[in-house]
Amino acid sequence: MAVKNFLSMIIPTRNRYERLVRTLKGLASQAARPEELIVVVASDDPSEADRLSIAFKQSFETFCAVRASTVGAASQRNEGVRQAKGNLIGFCDDDVDF
């Protein structure tokens, strides 16, 4: 029996809320979207992860915005990978236009 590929996409971000929202809206408008989207937030505003979760939880099959324990794109990507459930992992910057 074939196993269905399951894509977990990880986006690290820091202090770029409005730009990230534009990226997420563009991704949400695509016909093909990742089954799981994990945003690892290292922003100075501690409420940013919660605001993102509220705004985008209905836009993706699984959406998770979490506070980063360590600041830095590579560290944040690694945090996302540890939480990911997919058998495929993708990365995206917080300023991509879809």
Side-chain angles (χ1 to χ4, degrees):
M1 185 166 152
V3 175
K4 180 182 181 277
N5 288 329
F6 180 93
L7 175 61
S8 294
M9 181 176 281
I10 299 158
I11 303 176
T13 190
R14 182 165 193 243
N15 296 329
R16 294 171 56 131
Y17 183 80
E18 295 302 324
R19 185 59 187 95
L20 174 62
V21 166
R22 189 165 122 195
T23 296
L24 295 175
K25 285 181 179 178
L27 182 57
S29 72
Q30 301 301 303
R33 294 183 296 276
E35 287 82 5
E36 178 179 53
L37 182 58
I38 301 169
V39 180
V40 184
V41 181
S43 298
D44 296 334
D45 179 356
S47 71
E48 190 170 308
D50 291 335
R51 290 188 293 146
L52 289 167
S53 291
I54 291 167
F56 290 98
K57 66 181 175 185
Q58 300 299 324
S59 300
F60 298 94
E61 188 174 324
T62 301
F63 182 86
C64 180
V66 296
R67 288 282 300 163
S69 62
T70 305
V71 176
S75 296
Q76 289 169 245
R77 286 184 191 103
N78 288 337
E79 284 186 52
V81 168
R82 285 191 293 273
Q83 293 188 24
K85 300 198 177 20
N87 59 345
L88 298 172
I89 303 290
F91 300 100
C92 177
D93 290 334
D94 60 3
D95 62 352
V96 174
D97 287 323
F98 289 94

